[in-house]
Amino acid sequence: SEVIDQYYSNHETTIKNFHNPDISSIIIGDIKVNNQVSTTECMPIVKRLDDLELTFEITPDKGDLQLIPSISFFNKELRNIAECKPENVWINTKENEPVKFSIKLDSVQFAKGVYTVTLGLVNKNDKQVVFRGQSICGFQVKSDRLFWTSFELEGQVKIHSQ
């Protein structure tokens, strides 16, 4: 189990971003995973079934915007395994003023492994993509059990007769 944790901790993350210059470029500040700064050199550890809170700091370089955030999760093989697109929530931004926001997921059921997060920001008014930060941060999930899937689901067994 420790050998697999070591294998996952050596995973490199490539960051590639998309900006829509017609609307605004987004400057990314600190990104935190459960209050730990996430960088390509430092990947936070998340224990399976703990809550996961992602905190982002962004600054638009022009225009006052209303941005709808979304996050996508990718496994080590860069397969999109899950997405979170909160409805009816947007971030009000002002030109050149940083804003922080968080997205929290309760009891994350990801299996042991390395995951990256893609941040999407869509303009509320016209639904145009303003920013997409591919693999903008990452984290490693630790678990006592080993599964070969991206999710280790919690379930309940009910015995009806024996």
Side-chain angles (χ1 to χ4, degrees):
S1 180
E2 287 183 29
V3 173
I4 292 171
D5 288 339
Q6 181 63 36
Y7 168 76
Y8 283 133
S9 69
N10 291 331
H11 176 68
E12 289 187 28
T13 303
T14 303
I15 297 174
K16 295 185 179 178
N17 300 330
F18 166 80
H19 295 271
N20 187 338
D22 293 338
I23 300 173
S24 182
S25 289
I26 301 293
I27 299 162
I28 300 297
D30 284 343
I31 301 171
K32 293 184 179 179
V33 176
N34 289 355
N35 291 316
Q36 302 171 62
V37 174
S38 177
T39 65
T40 54
E41 295 84 32
C42 176
M43 189 170 289
I45 304 295
V46 176
K47 190 174 176 195
R48 185 182 165 275
L49 297 179
D50 279 357
D51 294 345
L52 176 65
E53 184 172 16
L54 302 166
T55 304
F56 302 94
E57 181 181 276
I58 62 169
T59 307
D61 72 346
K62 61 183 173 186
D64 296 347
L65 302 170
Q66 291 181 313
L67 301 174
I68 300 171
S70 67
I71 51 175
S72 302
F73 295 92
F74 292 80
N75 64 10
K76 184 180 178 304
E77 292 77 28
L78 298 179
R79 290 187 192 103
N80 187 345
I81 60 159
E83 294 190 358
C84 177
K85 295 183 179 183
E87 293 185 26
N88 301 320
V89 176
W90 58 87
I91 303 155
N92 292 311
T93 67
K94 302 259 185 231
E95 185 174 323
N96 294 317
E97 290 185 19
V99 62
K100 283 187 180 181
F101 64 95
S102 297
I103 298 175
K104 183 179 178 191
L105 304 170
D106 297 330
S107 298
V108 171
Q109 295 186 36
F110 292 163
K112 175 186 291 219
V114 169
Y115 301 91
T116 59
V117 176
T118 292
L119 171 65
L121 298 170
V122 174
N123 189 346
K124 177 182 176 277
N125 298 326
D126 60 13
K127 306 297 187 232
Q128 285 193 44
V129 174
V130 175
F131 175 81
R132 181 175 168 89
Q134 186 71 34
S135 299
I136 199 164
C137 68
F139 58 93
Q140 181 178 352
V141 173
K142 290 213 173 178
S143 174
D144 295 333
R145 302 184 288 182
L146 177 62
F147 282 73
W148 293 105
T149 62
S150 296
F151 287 93
E152 184 181 337
L153 301 175
E154 289 294 306
Q156 296 179 0
V157 175
K158 185 176 181 181
I159 299 173
H160 296 278
S161 63
Q162 284 189 316

